C-alpha cells in the first residue's frame, strides 16, 4: 500500500488514498486464491493483536504511560444481526502514521514476488505464504467486504480510523476510543456466515491460537467466555504435550505450514534454570536467503514475552524457531542489560551447544540429514567463518559435493579416503558443483586419484581460510597454484610428448605483457590446454569475483596463466614460435578462453570477438598479421 498524494482527497478531517495498481491486484489474489483457507484470517488477526499486546507490555517496563490494564486480553465479538465481527485488544495501538505504515507492510514485503508465488503455489501451500510476507492483515478481505480499524496509541489521547473495501482505496479519519489499543471490525460477506458463529470461532482459535500467552475471549449469548487454553507448552514436560500441539505451536511462531524437521524440548536446571522449545523447519522458507541474520528464538521471563531481539542463537543457526523462558532474569530487563548480563551469555552457550549436539545426532541418519542440509547447509557453514568457538563443530556437521563420490560427504569421510602420502584436504570453489567437477583446475588431482571437494556456495570462498585445519589436515585450494602433485607421481596415461616450453613461454610473455603476472608450465592439467590461477599469496579468483559482485572495491589481480605442455594446441603454438610466426593474437585468444573457462568474461569482449572472427575467416596466419 503506497501513498499517492495526487490521488488523495481530504474533507472534514478525513483523507482518502488510493492503492497502487499492483497492491490492488495482490489484494484480489489474496481474496480469491486463498478462498479454501478462509479461516486463516482469524489466526492472523489474533496473532497481530497478541504481538501488539506483547509490545505494549515490554514498552511499559521503561515507560509507565504504556502500562497494560490488569485484565488485558484479546476479545472477539460476533454480531449476527449487524453482520459484524470485531477483534479488540489492549495492545500498543497505532498512531495515524503507524496505521499508514503498518497497514502498508504489503508493499514493502515483495509484493510482486508474493503475487507470483501465490499464483503458482499449490492450494495446500498457499496459507504459509501469508505469514512469510507479512500480509496477514489483508486475509481479512477473504471474509469481509469492508474492514474498519480504530486504533489509539498507548500514551496518546488521539484515535484514528482506517477503512477500506480492499478494492481501490482506503480512508483515514479521526475517531474515538476509550483506551489504548485496537479494534478491527469486519463487515462479513453474505457467504461467510460461519464466521459469525461463536462455536465456529472458538474451534478456529483452539486450532491455530490456543497457545497464545494472552487470554482470548469470545462473546456468546451476551457473556464473555474463554476461547484459548493459554498454556506455555515449553513449561510442560515433553510427555504431557502431544505432537499435534507441538506442530500447532510451531506454525504459530514460525508462520510456516510444514511440519518441523526436528523438535528440541527440554528444561535446564542447576546453576541456571530455563525451559526451551525449539524447532528446525523441514522446508526452507520462501526468500530465506534474503532474510536478516537475526535469531528467531524469542526470550520469555517467567512466561512473559520480553523480546525477540535477544540473539539467543548465533546467526548461523537463524533457521531455528522457538522460545526460551528463564527464571534468572528480572521482568524489567532492558535490551542494554540483556547484552551485558552473564546469565544470558550462559543461556546462549547452553542453547547453542544443545542445538549443535542435536544436529550431530541427527546427522547419523544420512538420508534425513541430506534433506536438512539442502535447506540450511549454506547458512550453517557460516559458523566456520564467524564463530571461533563452534567452527570445528560446524565443520564436522558440514557436508560437501566431491569429485570422488556421488553422495554428500563429510570431512571425516574425506579423511578416511585420503592417500597415505596426502596431508591436506583439497577443495575448489565456484558457482556450480557440476561445472567444478569438470574444471581444468582439478584435472591433475582426479587423474592421480586425489579427491577434491566441490564448494559452490558463496560462503565457501571465505570459511576454509578461517577454519585452517581439520583433524590435523590443512585445507588447500587447488586453484591457488600450489603444486602438490609431485608427491602423488604422474598419471598413468601421461606419456605424451611435451612441447618446447623454453621458446614458447618467453614469446607468450612478450605477447601478453602485463595481462598476466606469470606464464608457466604445469603438470596439473590432463585434457585441457590452459588454466588461470591466482598468484602466490594473492586472493583466490573466485573470492575476488564474489566481492566484485557485491560491489566491494577490491584491487585488480593479475592472474597466472598455466599451460599443459602435452596438449596438441600448446605443441602447435610452440612450433609456430620455432618457425618464426607471430602469435600475438593467438596468445590473447588463449588468455580469453582461459578466462571463460574460469567463469569470467574477457576484459575486452569486442576485441575477443574480432580475434575469433579473424581466426575463423582468415586462418591463424591472417589472425596474426
Amino acid at each position: 500500500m503506497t501513498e499517492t498524494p495526487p490521488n488523495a482527497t481530504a474533507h472534514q478531517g478525513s483523507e482518502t488514498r488510493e492503492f497502487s495498481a499492483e497492491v490492488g491486484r495482490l489484494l484480489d489474489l489474496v481474496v480469491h486464491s486463498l478462498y479454501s483457507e478462509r479461516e486463516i484470517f482469524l489466526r492472523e488477526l489474533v496473532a497481530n493483536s497478541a504481538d501488539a499486546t506483547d509490545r505494549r507490555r515490554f514498552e511499559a517496563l521503561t515507560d509507565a504511560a504504556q502500562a497494560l490494564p490488569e485484565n488485558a486480553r484479546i476479545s472477539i465479538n460476533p454480531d449476527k444481526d449487524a453482520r459484524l465481527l470485531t477483534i479488540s485488544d489492549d495492545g500498543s495501538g497505532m498512531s495515524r502514521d503507524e496505521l499508514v505504515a503498518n497497514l502498508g507492510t504489503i508493499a514493502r514485503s515483495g509484493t510482486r514476488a508474493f503475487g507470483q508465488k501465490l499464483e503458482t503455489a499449490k492450494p495446500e501451500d498457499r496459507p504459509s505464504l501469508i505469514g512469510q510476507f507479512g500480509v496477514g492483515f489483508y486475509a481479512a478481505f477473504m471474509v469481509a467486504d469492508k474492514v474498519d480499524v480504530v486504533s489509539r496509541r498507548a500514551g496518546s489521547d488521539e484515535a484514528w480510523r482506517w477503512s477500506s473495501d480492499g478494492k481501490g482505496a482506503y480512508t483515514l479519519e479521526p475517531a474515538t476510543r476509550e483506551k489504548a489499543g485496537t479494534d478491527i471490525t469486519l463487515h462479513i460477506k453474505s457467504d461467510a456466515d460461519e464466521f459469525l458463529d461463536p462455536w465456529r470461532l472458538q474451534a478456529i482459535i483452539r486450532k491455530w491460537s490456543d497457545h497464545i500467552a494472552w487470554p482470548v475471549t469470545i462473546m456468546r449469548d451476551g457473556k464473555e467466555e474463554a476461547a484459548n487454553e493459554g498454556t506455555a507448552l515449553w513449561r510442560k514436560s515433553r510427555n504431557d504435550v502431544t505432537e499435534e500441539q507441538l506442530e500447532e505451536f510451531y506454525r504459530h511462531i514460525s508462520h510456516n505450514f510444514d511440519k518441523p524437521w526436528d523438535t528440541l524440548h527440554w528444561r535446564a536446571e542447576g546453576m541456571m534454570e530455563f525451559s526451551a522449545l525449539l524447532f528446525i523447519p523441514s522446508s526452507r522458507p520462501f526468500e530465506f536467503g534474503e532474510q536478516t541474520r537475526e535469531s528467531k528464538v524469542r526470550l520469555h521471563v517467567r512466561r512473559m514475552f520480553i523480546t525477540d531481539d535477544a540473539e539467543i542463537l548465533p546467526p548461523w543457526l537463524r533457521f531455528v524457531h522457538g522460545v526460551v523462558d528463564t527464571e534468572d532474569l528480572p521482568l524489567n530487563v532492558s535490551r542494554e542489560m540483556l547484552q551485558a548480563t552473564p546469565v544470558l551469555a550462559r543461556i546462549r552457550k547452553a542453547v547453542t551447544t544443545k542445538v549443535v549436539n542435536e544436529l550431530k545426532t541427527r546427522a547419523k541418519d544420512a538420508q534425513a540429514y541430506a534433506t536438512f542440509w539442502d535447506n540450511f547447509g549454506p547458512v550453517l557453514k557460516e559458523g566456520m567463518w564467524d564463530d571461533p568457538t563452534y567452527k570445528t563443530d560446524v565443520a564436522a556437521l558440514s557436508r560437501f559435493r566431491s569429485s570422488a563420490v556421488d553422495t554428500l560427504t563429510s570431512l571425516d569421510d574425506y579423511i578416511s579416503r585420503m592417500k597415505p602420502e596426502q596431508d591436506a584436504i583439497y577443495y575448489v570453489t565456484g558457482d556450480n558443483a557440476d561445472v567444478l567437477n569438470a574444471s581444468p583446475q582439478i584435472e591433475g588431482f582426479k587423474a592421480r586419484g586425489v579427491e577434491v571437494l566441490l564448494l559452490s556456495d558463496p560462503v565457501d570462498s571465505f570459511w576454509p581460510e578461517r577454519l585452517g585445519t581439520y583433524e590435523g589436515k590443512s585445507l588447500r585450494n587447488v586453484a591457488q597454484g600450489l603444486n602438490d602433485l609431485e608427491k602423488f607421481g604422474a598419471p598413468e596415461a601421461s606419456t605424451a610428448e611435451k612441447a618446447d616450453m623454453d621458446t614458447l613461454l618467453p614469446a607468450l610473455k612478450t605477447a601478453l605483457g602485463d595481462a598476466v603476472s606469470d606464464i608457466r608450465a604445469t603438470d596439473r592439467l590432463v585434457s585441457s590446454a590452459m588454466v588461470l590461477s591466482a598468484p602466490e599469496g594473492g586472493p583466490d579468483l573466485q573470492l575476488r569475483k564474489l566481492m566484485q559482485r557485491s560491489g566491494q572495491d577490491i584491487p585488480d589481480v593479475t592472474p597466472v596463466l598455466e599451460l599443459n605442455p602435452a596438449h596438441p594446441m600448446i605443441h602447435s603454438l610452440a612450433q609456430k614460435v620455432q618457425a618464426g610466426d607471430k602469435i600475438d593474437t593467438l596468445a590473447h585468444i588463449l588468455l580469453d578462453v582461459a578466462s571463460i573457462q574460469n567463469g569470467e568474461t574477457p576484459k575486452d569482449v569486442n576485441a575477443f570477438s574480432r580475434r575469433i572472427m579473424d581466426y575463423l575467416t582468415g586462418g591463424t596466419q591472417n589472425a596474426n598479421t
Side-chain angles (χ1 to χ4, degrees):
M1 197 175 298
T2 56
E3 298 183 31
T4 54
N7 298 318
T9 60
H11 56 87
Q12 296 181 349
S14 67
E15 180 181 358
T16 300
R17 300 181 178 211
E18 292 185 2
F19 293 151
S20 68
E22 189 174 64
V23 171
R25 168 62 178 152
L26 185 53
L27 285 171
D28 183 68
L29 283 171
V30 169
V31 171
H32 295 99
S33 296
L34 295 173
Y35 186 88
S36 62
E37 297 289 345
R38 297 170 93 187
E39 69 179 36
I40 212 70
F41 85 92
L42 188 58
R43 185 204 71 171
E44 291 299 315
L45 296 182
V46 170
N48 289 346
S49 293
D51 290 342
T53 312
D54 282 338
R55 183 163 54 251
R56 181 175 176 183
R57 196 207 62 77
F58 182 74
E59 292 173 349
L61 296 176
T62 54
D63 183 0
Q66 306 277 6
L68 279 164
E70 292 184 4
N71 62 341
R73 66 194 184 282
I74 300 163
S75 59
I76 301 173
N77 184 10
D79 186 338
K80 289 185 178 181
D81 294 335
R83 303 194 61 78
L84 300 176
L85 176 65
T86 302
I87 296 94
S88 302
D89 65 64
D90 298 306
S92 55
M94 290 174 281
S95 65
R96 176 190 175 281
D97 291 341
E98 287 173 327
L99 276 170
V100 173
N102 292 342
L103 300 189
T105 302
I106 195 169
R108 300 196 304 273
S109 301
T111 306
R112 186 179 299 277
F114 175 79
Q116 293 171 347
K117 189 72 173 178
L118 194 59
E119 287 182 310
T120 58
K122 297 177 181 179
E124 62 270 23
D125 295 332
R126 288 170 178 165
S128 65
L129 299 178
I130 297 177
Q132 291 177 21
F133 279 88
V135 297
F137 169 79
Y138 295 91
F141 288 103
M142 290 191 292
V143 300
D145 48 31
K146 182 183 178 183
V147 177
D148 297 324
V149 179
V150 175
S151 194
R152 173 179 165 184
R153 189 69 167 91
S156 171
D157 294 330
E158 290 186 348
W160 288 86
R161 180 189 304 274
W162 179 102
S163 299
S164 176
D165 60 6
K167 294 179 180 178
Y170 65 96
T171 61
L172 287 168
E173 60 184 352
T176 58
R177 196 177 195 273
E178 183 178 345
K179 56 183 180 179
T182 300
D183 300 319
I184 302 176
T185 301
L186 283 65
H187 298 251
I188 298 299
K189 294 179 178 179
S190 59
D191 63 347
D193 286 353
E194 61 181 300
F195 302 112
L196 293 170
D197 183 344
W199 295 103
R200 175 73 171 109
L201 295 172
Q202 181 164 11
I204 298 172
I205 293 298
R206 286 290 172 89
K207 179 180 179 180
W208 298 114
S209 308
D210 201 35
H211 308 297
I212 284 179
W214 298 101
V216 180
T217 63
I218 295 177
M219 290 296 295
R220 181 184 292 115
D221 299 327
K223 296 181 181 180
E224 201 170 30
E225 299 181 1
N228 69 322
E229 184 179 344
T231 301
L233 284 186
W234 56 89
R235 289 272 184 161
K236 288 187 172 184
S237 166
R238 180 64 183 265
N239 295 331
D240 296 332
V241 182
T242 67
E243 289 299 320
E244 290 76 14
Q245 288 176 313
L246 290 173
E247 288 177 14
E248 290 170 11
F249 184 68
Y250 160 71
R251 291 165 182 163
H252 165 66
I253 63 171
S254 69
H255 297 290
N256 295 335
F257 271 68
D258 59 337
K259 292 184 179 181
W261 179 77
D262 198 5
T263 301
L264 292 79
H265 187 183
W266 82 101
R267 177 169 179 79
E269 297 179 331
M271 294 185 62
M272 58 181 175
E273 293 189 3
F274 66 87
S275 299
L277 179 54
L278 308 180
F279 302 95
I280 300 175
S282 59
S283 60
R284 180 172 55 242
F286 185 62
E287 291 188 341
F288 175 68
E290 299 179 13
Q291 296 178 1
T292 64
R293 301 184 75 232
E294 297 171 352
S295 170
K296 295 178 179 59
V297 177
R298 298 158 57 103
L299 176 66
H300 289 238
V301 174
R302 300 166 204 166
R303 302 191 182 191
M304 300 297 287
F305 171 76
I306 296 296
T307 180
D308 51 11
D309 295 329
E311 299 176 2
I312 299 294
L313 287 174
W316 47 274
L317 290 175
R318 61 185 177 274
F319 49 83
V320 179
H321 295 264
V323 170
V324 170
D325 188 354
T326 181
E327 302 279 348
D328 297 335
L329 288 171
L331 279 174
N332 62 346
V333 62
S334 66
R335 295 187 182 185
E336 292 73 17
M337 289 176 61
L338 280 176
Q339 300 307 317
T341 177
V343 172
L344 189 58
R346 290 195 294 269
I347 290 175
R348 286 171 176 156
K349 183 175 181 179
V351 175
T352 302
T353 300
K354 182 75 172 182
V355 175
V356 168
N357 289 339
E358 177 69 8
L359 289 175
K360 289 179 179 178
T361 300
R362 292 299 305 271
K364 296 175 182 177
D365 182 343
Q367 185 174 357
Y369 193 71
T371 299
F372 159 79
W373 188 257
D374 286 343
N375 289 326
F376 304 112
V379 173
L380 185 65
K381 281 190 289 187
E382 293 175 11
M384 291 185 281
W385 167 255
D386 60 19
D387 200 327
T389 302
Y390 289 96
K391 67 178 183 179
T392 302
D393 296 290
V394 176
L397 288 169
S398 296
R399 299 294 182 265
F400 310 95
R401 291 280 301 277
S402 165
S403 64
V405 293
D406 294 331
T407 57
L408 291 172
T409 186
S410 66
L411 292 180
D412 291 303
D413 289 339
Y414 177 102
I415 291 174
S416 71
R417 295 188 294 266
M418 285 173 55
K419 287 179 169 291
E421 65 273 27
Q422 186 177 345
D423 59 4
I425 298 170
Y426 295 101
Y427 68 92
V428 62
T429 60
D431 297 326
N432 182 285
D434 292 327
V435 173
L436 288 175
N437 201 27
S439 169
Q441 302 279 8
I442 68 172
E443 285 180 3
F445 291 86
K446 292 174 71 174
R448 292 165 173 81
V450 179
E451 184 174 357
V452 179
L453 298 179
L454 313 172
L455 310 185
S456 57
D457 293 317
V459 70
D460 291 331
S461 292
F462 300 91
W463 65 259
E465 182 180 355
R466 186 67 60 88
L467 182 63
T469 62
Y470 181 79
E471 295 295 330
K473 308 294 183 181
S474 62
L475 280 85
R476 199 163 300 169
N477 190 338
V478 300
Q480 288 283 9
L482 298 171
N483 195 350
D484 289 2
L485 293 178
E486 293 181 0
K487 69 178 70 174
F488 302 116
E492 294 181 4
S494 61
T495 58
E497 181 183 354
K498 295 185 178 181
D500 180 6
M501 305 301 287
D502 291 337
T503 57
L504 178 59
L505 292 180
L508 287 174
K509 289 178 180 178
T510 299
L512 295 176
D514 296 337
V516 292
S517 60
D518 193 14
I519 305 175
R520 62 193 179 208
T522 182
D523 60 355
R524 69 187 182 107
L525 295 173
V526 178
S527 59
S528 298
M530 64 283 182
V531 69
L532 288 179
S533 64
E536 298 292 344
D540 171 48
L541 297 181
Q542 175 68 11
L543 174 59
R544 174 175 164 268
K545 184 165 59 175
L546 286 172
M547 296 179 71
Q548 286 178 328
R549 286 179 186 172
S550 64
Q552 297 188 45
D553 187 16
I554 181 172
D556 196 19
V557 176
T558 307
V560 175
L561 179 62
E562 299 189 39
L563 304 177
N564 178 4
H567 196 277
M569 189 174 73
I570 305 302
H571 268 286
S572 177
L573 278 175
Q575 291 170 358
K576 291 181 185 300
V577 173
Q578 291 172 344
D581 295 340
K582 293 181 179 179
I583 63 166
D584 290 21
T585 298
L586 288 175
H588 282 281
I589 290 176
L590 191 74
L591 178 61
D592 287 339
V593 172
S595 296
I596 293 172
Q597 284 183 166
N598 204 48
E600 298 181 355
T601 303
K603 288 187 176 181
D604 190 336
V605 176
N606 291 327
F608 170 67
S609 178
R610 286 195 302 270
R611 292 180 188 122
I612 291 295
M613 294 304 296
D614 288 344
Y615 178 79
L616 292 175
T617 58
T620 307
Q621 193 66 36
N622 285 352
N624 285 291
T625 57

